[in-house]
Amino acid sequence: MISTALDTIPTPPSSRLLGWHVLDARPKEGWIRIGFDGKRDFCNPAGFVQGGILSAMLDDTMGPAVFTMTDGKLYTATITMTVNFLAPAKPGPITGEARVTHLGKTVAFVEGRLTAADGTLLATATTSARLVETAKAIAPSASLQPAVLPA
């Protein structure tokens, strides 16, 4: 697997909750593929992964595409995100793919998509994201460190 700037930062708790893991990346092209766990705990009463969870997966795919493309120098803060839900997402593995369509000086535009293990296209998204220097956006924080419980 290719090494990316994502290897240098701890995985945020929200990403761990989603089962986030890098599957493949082409940083110079602004493209990334992320794996997620569509847990039963994420399902709505109809038994499908809830749309807000799918939106979080898309957001957690599109931001890292920019981060890896800029070799970890720029972090994204979502300005807008439009999601199109195309098929119900059953519990199980879900794959996210994202591609940076334009990297400006202060804003990036990214397209993303989620697919089920059988190849069904579940959702697509576009986002505009403010670019922030990573050093200013990701400060060492206790919230990103593993919890240490008293004995």
Side-chain angles (χ1 to χ4, degrees):
M1 163 118 130
I2 189 164
S3 178
T4 71
L6 292 165
D7 300 334
T8 66
I9 61 171
T11 304
S14 59
S15 298
R16 284 196 307 268
L17 177 68
L18 297 173
W20 183 98
H21 55 283
V22 177
L23 297 172
D24 197 5
R26 294 192 296 268
K28 291 181 182 178
E29 296 174 31
W31 177 87
I32 197 162
R33 181 180 294 133
I34 305 289
F36 296 98
D37 299 330
K39 302 173 188 174
R40 291 198 181 279
D41 290 346
F42 297 160
C43 289
N44 61 25
F48 299 112
V49 177
Q50 195 267 347
I53 300 291
L54 296 174
S55 296
M57 290 176 180
L58 284 159
D59 197 36
D60 246 8
T61 302
M62 294 185 290
V66 173
F67 190 80
T68 59
M69 184 180 200
T70 64
D71 198 29
K73 293 177 180 71
L74 297 174
Y75 178 82
T76 56
T78 303
I79 299 169
T80 63
M81 185 169 77
T82 301
V83 180
N84 302 296
F85 300 101
L86 305 173
K90 297 175 186 171
I94 295 174
T95 302
E97 285 187 35
R99 180 177 65 86
V100 177
T101 57
H102 180 76
L103 185 65
K105 291 184 181 187
T106 59
V107 176
F109 297 90
V110 188
E111 297 175 340
R113 57 190 282 140
L114 294 178
T115 55
D118 67 1
T120 301
L121 183 59
L122 303 171
T124 61
T126 56
T127 192
S128 58
R130 181 172 167 251
L131 299 173
V132 182
E133 290 178 35
T134 298
K136 293 180 182 177
I138 303 178
S141 166
S143 67
L144 292 180
Q145 303 305 317
V148 178
L149 302 176

